[in-house]
Amino acid sequence: MNTGPLHRFLMWVDQRTGLNALLKKALGEPIPGGARLAYIFGSGLIFIFILQAITGVFLTLYYVPSADHAYSTVSYITKEVTSGSFLRSLHAYGSSAMVIILILHVTQTIIYGAYKRQRELLWLSGCFLSVLILGMAFTGYLLPWDQKAYFATAVGTNIATEVPLVGDLIKRFMRGGNDLGTLTLSRFFSAHVLFIPAAIGAMVSIHVYLFRKAGAAGPFTHTPTLHHQQNSEPFYPKQLLMDLGLALLLIAMLSMLAHFHPYELGPQANPADTHYLGRPEWYYRPVFQWLKYWKPPYTAIGILVIPLVVAVIFAALPFLDRHTERHPSKRPIVLSTYAFVLALLVLLGRQSYLDDSDTPAVLNQMTKQELEVEEIMSRPFEPEVSGVIVATTPPAVTIKGRQTYELQACDACHGHGGSGGPGASKLTGIGSKYSTEQLMTLLKHPDEKMIAGGMIPSQLRERELKALVEYLRSLK
Amino acid sequence: MRRALMEDKPVIPDFLERRSFLTIIIAFGTVAIGAMLSIPLLRFAFHPLLAKTTETGWSTVGSIDEFISITGPVKRIISVEQRDGWRKNVSDKAVYVIKKADSRLVVLSPICPHLGCPIAWSEEKKQFLCPCHVGIFAPDGAKVAGPPPREMDELNIKIEGKKLLVQYQYFRSLVPTKEVMA
């Protein structure tokens, strides 16, 4: 027998912790019928949850959950912090991976009839976990505070108003007020990093405990009696190896995606932008499409009643489907219904994308938005100017310039403060693109594109022109 | 209690002894995942050690030409930009540009090294005067009279093209030598 220092150290630890017995219990879990690839999704979910927890905790090193700063801090993470874009992308794409693996886990459970007989609570805890995971995706989506985050959450929280009697109260509770604002962001942040993760942690413990209590269901040729141990193989090492394989595959794919296709950050949330077309993440697209088909006075039926009925039937599955038969070919109703719902969701999602690409106006706007996102991503990080410590008053010359800007009706086309308008480009940030001399020349001799847009050559005196240019260059 | 512990013979977890090949694969896989994740995580957390997250930038005082023929101290308002992570503070500060006897340009901080009051240039007396405790400095910043422990503080400058740039800093008061405040 080995009596080296490592062995003695392990003995010392084991005497005080009982680690060996614990590991044996954890790793010796009997798997009826032996290890299978079909069983890897549960631990896959735990792996992604841990991955999300770790990356999420690290992201809070730089993130600030306030409507004033959230966007700047996420931009800082994306553009300046070492490995920031990678970790943020890992976290953002991780949510998609979570949803995919969740669907696979549920599908496996349904095909294998693994919810049957004495596994009702296990199934219910799983349903609860699914809702919590979707809640994580929903709350996390708002945190970057860019346009798509803002509008997706605006739509998402608006759905609550369809609930009879208390709909408005629910919406106000979720938003922390009537409108989406900094309180919404605080609430979503707390929910995303404290409340929901705590609930998930507790629920995962219950789910795993109930799973171990009931025992793995095994192949669907078996009847689902408890502690079915004949022809069983321990979890370690083969099943663990398969589970680890999935974990490796997931992290490799997520890393490649994060590295080669970093998750984007769009323009900062601007509630006043009435042109913006908000679109949710792909896994909410089917629901998004579904909502389109329900017009008043039937909205409540489509948005509330039908999804609720489906959810209740889904959660009640082990109570409704009580037969001991687990073979999929002998359970046509459950399987075909599940396949139908899944297919319907896929078709709805697909239709949502088709609708967008078939409507020229929508396609146009979406392309414009994509180009804007690209442009923003290529721009270097611009720190937020802090007005807390020192408030700088603009120099007299820019005040003069602003008067000229407004008197000459520049704002009629270029918008208030150079914010841009329907007919003309915005002027904010123009100071970083053109020098004073270049701008003076352009104002006196506009180029073809500008003339085509209706720009008139300036007739201003040199001094006024100079003040105007100073003002334009100060626009942020 | 102690006897019970001694009698209870623990064994190394079985998985350490048997199936060693699979154990190695599992260990390797776990380490691979850990490494793939911990490198970016550590780089992310150590970002403030890998790059500058806080710094005071160089501010433009003006074009060199403006100061070539100055005869006495010239007061200028500069815009000081301090980076602080994802934000920056922009503030206006006054500085004095002077020409030394060897016609070298020097930029002086207007903060009195005594107790930090703003020093003013008096055109009629041709002296720098601190209004708080009557510290007096010569036109080149040298201490003439009063409680200040040292001469007026020189700021770091550099010339880029035709521009005079200055790095605005604060210095410890009440000490005889110039010490930059962190």
Side-chain angles (χ1 to χ4, degrees), chain A residues 116-369:
Chain A
K116 292 200 166 201
R117 290 305 275 296
Q118 288 162 308
R119 291 189 174 82
E120 300 90 343
L121 292 177
L122 175 59
W123 172 261
L124 281 176
S125 64
C127 290
F128 203 64
L129 274 169
S130 308
V131 173
L132 291 173
I133 287 174
L134 291 177
M136 283 302 269
F138 181 63
T139 50
Y141 204 65
L142 177 68
L143 304 186
W145 203 250
D146 59 358
Q147 285 280 70
K148 68 171 189 175
Y150 184 92
F151 283 99
T153 309
V155 173
T157 48
N158 240 339
I159 293 170
T161 50
E162 294 300 329
V163 180
L165 301 174
V166 289
D168 195 54
L169 288 180
I170 297 175
K171 183 187 89 175
R172 266 159 51 205
F173 172 76
M174 286 205 284
R175 291 186 175 179
N178 219 359
D179 301 309
L180 221 63
T182 199
L183 291 183
T184 322
L185 191 54
S186 295
R187 288 173 165 251
F188 274 50
F189 178 73
S190 295
H192 190 74
V193 308
L194 298 166
F195 290 98
I196 305 179
I200 289 181
M203 260 333 208
V204 166
S205 318
I206 292 172
H207 195 64
V208 171
Y209 169 78
L210 290 174
F211 168 69
R212 292 300 298 268
K213 178 85 174 77
F220 40 67
T221 44
H222 291 197
T223 45
T225 44
L226 287 184
H227 301 293
H228 194 295
Q229 299 211 1
Q230 66 203 48
N231 306 323
S232 72
E233 180 187 17
F235 174 72
Y236 178 88
K238 255 177 98 180
Q239 187 66 54
L240 178 61
L241 202 64
M242 290 177 183
D243 290 5
L244 193 70
L246 175 66
L248 263 169
L249 184 74
L250 281 170
I251 189 115
M253 282 173 62
L254 287 172
S255 299
M256 295 227 296
L257 205 57
H259 182 78
F260 293 110
H261 196 274
Y263 198 82
E264 286 167 333
L265 179 68
Q268 183 164 10
N270 175 12
D273 185 348
T274 49
H275 297 295
Y276 192 82
L277 286 177
R279 290 290 179 271
E281 202 66 289
W282 65 268
Y283 43 79
Y284 278 122
R285 278 281 186 141
V287 181
F288 176 76
Q289 184 69 13
W290 172 258
L291 300 182
K292 281 202 228 166
Y293 298 126
W294 299 88
K295 303 271 181 268
Y298 306 108
T299 14
I301 298 175
I303 294 183
L304 211 69
V305 178
I306 295 176
L308 211 63
V309 169
V310 172
V312 168
I313 292 175
F314 186 76
L317 190 56
F319 301 98
L320 299 172
D321 178 20
R322 303 178 64 87
H323 199 275
T324 52
E325 180 57 59
R326 290 177 52 212
H327 202 286
S329 66
K330 289 171 186 152
R331 298 159 45 232
I333 297 175
V334 169
L335 279 160
S336 55
T337 311
Y338 181 69
F340 172 75
V341 173
L342 219 53
L344 188 69
L345 290 174
V346 171
L347 285 177
L348 280 168
R350 182 171 163 269
Q351 194 55 45
S352 170
Y353 287 101
L354 286 179
D355 278 6
D356 282 354
S357 54
D358 288 349
T359 320
V362 172
L363 190 65
N364 235 336
Q365 176 66 18
M366 299 290 276
T367 317
K368 212 172 116 190
Q369 285 171 199

Side-chain angles (χ1 to χ4, degrees), chain A residues 21-82:
Chain A
L22 194 70
L23 275 172
K24 269 189 171 163
K25 179 106 180 116
L27 297 171
E29 173 204 344
I31 298 171
R36 282 189 185 206
L37 282 176
Y39 306 153
I40 60 180
F41 304 116
S43 31
L45 284 173
I46 291 182
F47 173 71
I48 301 178
F49 179 66
I50 294 170
L51 183 70
Q52 294 295 80
I54 294 174
T55 49
V57 166
F58 272 77
L59 286 171
T60 63
L61 281 174
Y62 302 98
Y63 179 73
V64 175
S66 137
D68 292 348
H69 308 309
Y71 182 79
S72 294
T73 57
V74 176
S75 178
Y76 184 64
I77 289 171
T78 311
K79 293 176 178 175
E80 285 237 330
V81 181
T82 326

Side-chain angles (χ1 to χ4, degrees), chain A residues 360-402:
Chain A
V362 172
L363 190 65
N364 235 336
Q365 176 66 18
M366 299 290 276
T367 317
K368 212 172 116 190
Q369 285 171 199
E370 275 164 35
L371 288 176
E372 195 179 4
V373 171
E374 260 172 54
E375 198 265 322
I376 285 172
M377 289 298 289
S378 65
R379 236 189 270 160
F381 172 70
E382 181 61 39
E384 193 175 279
V385 179
S386 164
V388 181
I389 294 177
V390 181
T392 48
T393 45
V397 65
T398 55
I399 294 172
K400 174 90 183 75
R402 187 178 146 194

Side-chain angles (χ1 to χ4, degrees), chain B residues 72-149:
Chain B
V74 177
K75 184 177 178 177
R76 279 296 152 94
I77 304 294
I78 57 164
S79 170
V80 179
E81 214 180 277
Q82 283 165 290
R83 260 310 281 279
D84 176 18
W86 45 268
R87 58 180 206 159
K88 65 177 178 188
N89 298 317
V90 182
S91 52
D92 290 344
K93 298 274 188 278
V95 292
Y96 288 104
V97 183
I98 60 168
K99 203 151 86 177
K100 290 268 188 176
D102 54 2
S103 71
R104 186 166 57 92
L105 281 181
V106 164
V107 179
L108 294 176
S109 162
I111 307 287
C112 182
H114 176 222
L115 286 171
C117 291
I119 302 168
W121 169 249
S122 161
E123 194 57 51
E124 45 195 285
K125 292 185 182 158
K126 299 284 177 207
Q127 276 176 330
F128 283 109
L129 296 173
C130 179
C132 296
H133 306 94
V134 211
I136 300 171
F137 304 89
D140 67 348
K143 185 190 153 185
V144 173

